[in-house]
Every structure is written in C-alpha cells, then in structure tokens.
C-alpha cells in the first residue's frame, strides 16, 4: 500500500556519470514534484508536473531533466554528475487543490564521489 | 533573505514539556501555512495546515498564524520521545500553480 515510492533508495556514483531516479505514486494525484534536500537539510523544489505538463521549473542546471510518462510517474535524469549534486532527492505528489497537501516519498540518497 | 526563516536548533526538551516552534516569513502573498514532520532518513509528512491567520488544534498540536507579524508557530503539549524529529514550516500562496516554500527545519529532541 505504498503511496509514493522511489528507486533506488541509495545511489553512489562517480563524478561525470549519468544516473536516473524513478518515482511512482498510487494516490491518484495529478501533480508530482522533485525536491532536493542538501546537507543543511534545506528542502528546495526543483520541478513540478501537473498531468504530465511541466508547471514549475526552478533554477536548476540543465543537467537535470525530469520526465513524466504518465501522471503516476515522474523520473529524474541527471547528466554529468558533480560533487555538489550529492543530496537527498525527494519525490512528492498532491492534488492540485488550494492547500496543496503533499505526500513525500522516502527519498533517494545520492552520493557523488 | 530566505522567504521562510526558521531556527535550525537543535532543541532539546524533557518529556512532558510544552514545545514552541516558530517561523517568520517575508512574502505577503502567502495564504496557506503548514507544518511538516520529518523523522530521520524519512520523507516529510504533513502534520497540520492553516489558512490565513488563526489557530488550529489537533490533539497535542496547535498551529498559530499571525499574518500581521508574519509569524507561524507550532506548539506541542505533553511532548513525547516519539515527537523527536525535524519540524519544517512551509508556506504557499493562493491561486494558480504555486510552489510550497519550506523553512530549513528545527530539529527537536524529547528526552525521556
């Protein structure tokens, strides 16, 4: 009965590699998000999709490319990984209602060596 | 200046104490205010939300918003060791596609 799931949970990779993180939600929500939580625990939005359409695109390097094949999935592909990309990446989903209650996944801890 | 400011703590209290967690914000357009709780190595989960100014109570938790001073508070009564977590305040504007802006989170430890 997992609500928002992410794979993998942990990702350790070398600088310069390309990697992907997958996210799926079974809540029937129409909006999904990617957040980055850095070492200082600051949670910052990166992207948001509503019904497969990009609606929020914060100032993120274009090495990061989200893809939403359907409204239950939002994947994140990262090219040419850098040391500063090390963080925990959270996927979230919500209905597009005024209060915007977001349900978060367990996070993917990315370490770039 | 961050749009939502929060003291990262850590804050240590004895079991049974009343805990007061606070945030300030700068964006007058914010209308919805939330508190998320994040246990170690887990994703945040919504604890409470309020619309505009006022109080909201849920069990041992009370959220307060004072829009005139741009101040958000969360009170925890009879704190328990299971309340030990990081508490993130968050705010959201009204209308259209809005992004939720989070504070940095306050780490709370309730000591048995």
């Amino acid at each position: 009965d997992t609500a928002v799931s992410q794979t993998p949970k942990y990702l350790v990779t070398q600088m310069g590699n390309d990697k992907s993180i997958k996210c799926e939600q079974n809540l029937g929500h129409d909006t999904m998000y990617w957040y980055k939580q850095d070492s200082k625990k600051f949670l910052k939005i990166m992207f948001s999709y509503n019904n497969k359409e990009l609606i929020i695109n914060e100032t993120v390097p274009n090495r990061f490319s989200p893809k939403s094949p359907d409204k239950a999935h939002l994947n994140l592909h990262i090219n040419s990984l850098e040391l500063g990309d090390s963080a925990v990446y959270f996927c979230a989903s919500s209905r597009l209602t005024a209060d915007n209650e977001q349900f978060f996944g367990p996070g993917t801890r990315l370490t770039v060596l | 200046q961050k749009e939502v400011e929060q003291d990262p703590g850590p804050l240590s209290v004895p079991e049974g104490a009343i805990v007061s967690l606070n945030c300030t914000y700068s964006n007058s357009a914010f209308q919805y205010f939330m508190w998320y709780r994040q246990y170690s190595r887990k994703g945040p989960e919504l604890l409470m939300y309020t619309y505009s100014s006022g109080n909201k109570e849920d069990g041992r938790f009370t959220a307060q918003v004072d829009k005139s001073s741009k101040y958000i508070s969360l009170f925890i009564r009879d704190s328990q060791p299971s309340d030990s977590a990081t508490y993130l305040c968050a705010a959201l504007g009204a209308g259209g596609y809005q992004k939720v802006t989070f504070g940095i989170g306050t780490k709370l430890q309730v000591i048995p």
Side-chain angles (χ1 to χ4, degrees), chain B residues 11 28 51-52 72 81 92 108:
Chain B
L11 178 63
S28 299
Y51 172 67
S52 195
I72 313 165
L92 173 68
L108 171 68

Side-chain angles (χ1 to χ4, degrees), chain B residues 85-101:
Chain B
T86 297
Y87 290 80
L88 299 102
C89 60
L92 173 68
Y97 296 124
Q98 301 279 340
K99 65 175 183 178
V100 175
T101 302

Side-chain angles (χ1 to χ4, degrees), chain A residues 48-66:
Chain A
S48 176
Y49 273 71
N50 175 255
N51 282 320
K52 304 193 295 173
E53 298 294 325
L54 182 66
I55 57 171
I56 293 175
N57 185 358
E58 290 293 285
T59 309
V60 175
N62 58 16
R63 298 182 295 104
F64 289 78
S65 52

Side-chain angles (χ1 to χ4, degrees), chain A:
Chain A
D1 60 344
T2 305
V4 181
S5 59
Q6 293 178 230
T7 53
K9 279 196 83 170
Y10 299 94
L11 191 50
V12 180
T13 188
Q14 300 285 335
M15 262 197 318
N17 284 350
D18 303 338
K19 289 293 177 187
S20 291
I21 308 171
K22 295 187 175 182
C23 178
E24 177 180 359
Q25 54 96 3
N26 62 5
L27 297 167
H29 290 162
D30 47 20
T31 307
M32 295 184 72
Y33 312 80
W34 277 111
Y35 285 87
K36 179 181 180 181
Q37 190 170 46
D38 59 26
S39 56
K40 293 190 177 128
K41 305 298 185 187
F42 189 52
L43 191 63
K44 196 164 185 331
I45 191 163
M46 301 171 69
F47 303 102
S48 176
Y49 273 71
N50 175 255
N51 282 320
K52 304 193 295 173
E53 298 294 325
L54 182 66
I55 57 171
I56 293 175
N57 185 358
E58 290 293 285
T59 309
V60 175
N62 58 16
R63 298 182 295 104
F64 289 78
S65 52
K67 280 194 174 49
S68 182
D70 55 61
K71 53 179 210 178
H73 295 85
L74 180 61
N75 303 323
L76 183 65
H77 188 75
I78 316 169
N79 287 329
S80 303
L81 278 155
E82 299 178 358
L83 293 176
D85 297 333
S86 296
V88 182
Y89 292 84
F90 286 101
C91 177
S93 73
S94 74
R95 286 197 177 83
L96 199 64
T97 55
D99 61 40
N100 195 256
E101 178 182 356
Q102 296 188 19
F103 291 78
F104 284 80
T108 296
R109 188 171 293 269
L110 172 65
T111 303
V112 182
L113 303 174

Side-chain angles (χ1 to χ4, degrees), chain B residues 25 28-31 33 52-54 65-71:
Chain B
Y25 65 94
S28 299
F30 288 151
Q31 295 286 339
F33 303 92
S52 195
S53 282
V65 176
D66 181 347
K67 288 192 73 181
S68 63
S69 58
K70 296 190 175 70
Y71 203 76

